[in-house]
Amino acid sequence: MEERHVIVTYRLDRATIQELGAQLEPDLMSAIRHPTEIPPLVQLLSVLHFLARGPFQTTVAIASGMSQPMISNLLSRVLSALLKHMHSYIVFPQVEDLPTVKGDFYALGHIPNIIGAIDGTHVALVPTRRSEQVYRNRKSYHSMNVQMVCLADQYISHVNATFPGSVHDAYILRNSSIPYVMVATPEAPCVAIR
């Protein structure tokens, strides 16, 4: 596969996928109970393909030659392994990094003093009957409302995936660690909530 096609298919470049595969291999190998099970790198690639293309496991299953239940199992297995290593990859800039971060954003849009781009997105889910109303969002489907902050180079620097779809973005921001980080950095700009 050409590098361009790898990035379109998996949203990561080949080197990053290989590095991630090597880091997750011990976790994914320990889940293998039979020698004919799916190798760790294939597990990772299947889940990355699903995350990049979403939201239908069946489509990824057809493309990878696996069943939809297998993709569902892999999704759970690989995401659990990724969560163990999340803090290696998702890191909010430290005070000493702020001049570089601000410079990167300024080069991108000529707006001074930006240290992150923030937004919320709804990730659809099937809730339990007891919690159905809590997860119903303003567009009348069930979801988690996930807040993310990214840097100018599109690396994610913060994720808050703890609130159901009925919760507004502004509430998530006020109840996240972002306001505390902003107070801790005196030269940081104000946070605008839309």
Side-chain angles (χ1 to χ4, degrees):
M1 231 187 244
E2 291 179 21
E3 187 69 19
R4 178 180 54 85
H5 191 63
V6 170
I7 293 170
V8 167
T9 305
Y10 302 109
R11 301 285 170 98
L12 296 172
D13 60 55
R14 189 182 315 272
T16 303
I17 292 171
Q18 289 172 337
E19 177 187 326
L20 195 54
Q23 190 171 21
L24 298 181
E25 186 171 7
D27 297 314
L28 299 178
M29 282 298 291
S30 67
I32 294 178
R33 294 181 264 312
H34 192 272
T36 60
E37 274 208 52
I38 299 159
L41 187 58
V42 176
Q43 294 179 46
L44 176 62
L45 289 172
S46 299
V47 170
L48 289 177
H49 185 201
F50 171 76
L51 294 173
R53 298 296 197 172
F56 300 106
Q57 294 176 8
T58 306
T59 307
V60 176
I62 291 168
S64 63
M66 295 181 225
S67 67
Q68 180 277 321
M70 177 57 78
I71 295 296
S72 183
N73 289 338
L74 292 181
L75 189 60
S76 176
R77 184 184 300 173
V78 173
L79 290 177
S80 293
L82 282 169
L83 282 173
K84 288 182 182 178
H85 301 280
M86 176 180 75
H87 296 293
S88 309
Y89 294 95
I90 300 175
V91 180
F92 202 79
Q94 300 299 308
V95 174
E96 59 271 10
D97 301 326
L98 292 181
T100 303
V101 171
K102 289 177 182 182
D104 292 346
F105 271 107
Y106 187 81
L108 198 63
H110 299 290
I111 302 172
N113 296 324
I114 304 296
I115 62 170
I118 187 169
D119 200 4
T121 188
H122 287 267
V123 179
L125 57 76
V126 178
T128 62
R129 288 181 193 243
R130 276 185 301 172
S131 60
E132 188 175 354
Q133 283 307 109
V134 176
Y135 288 96
R136 186 177 304 279
N137 64 30
R138 61 187 166 79
K139 294 188 177 180
S140 295
Y141 68 91
H142 302 100
S143 66
M144 290 291 294
N145 192 351
V146 180
Q147 172 190 275
M148 294 175 74
V149 178
C150 74
L151 304 175
D153 57 8
Q154 299 179 5
Y155 279 90
I156 297 170
S157 62
H158 177 80
V159 175
N160 186 342
T162 58
F163 290 93
S166 62
V167 176
H168 192 275
D169 290 357
Y171 180 86
I172 296 172
L173 177 60
R174 281 193 303 272
N175 289 280
S176 73
S177 60
I178 297 295
Y180 300 106
V181 172
M182 302 304 282
V183 170
T185 56
E187 74 231 20
C190 295
V191 177
I193 301 173
R194 58 180 177 111

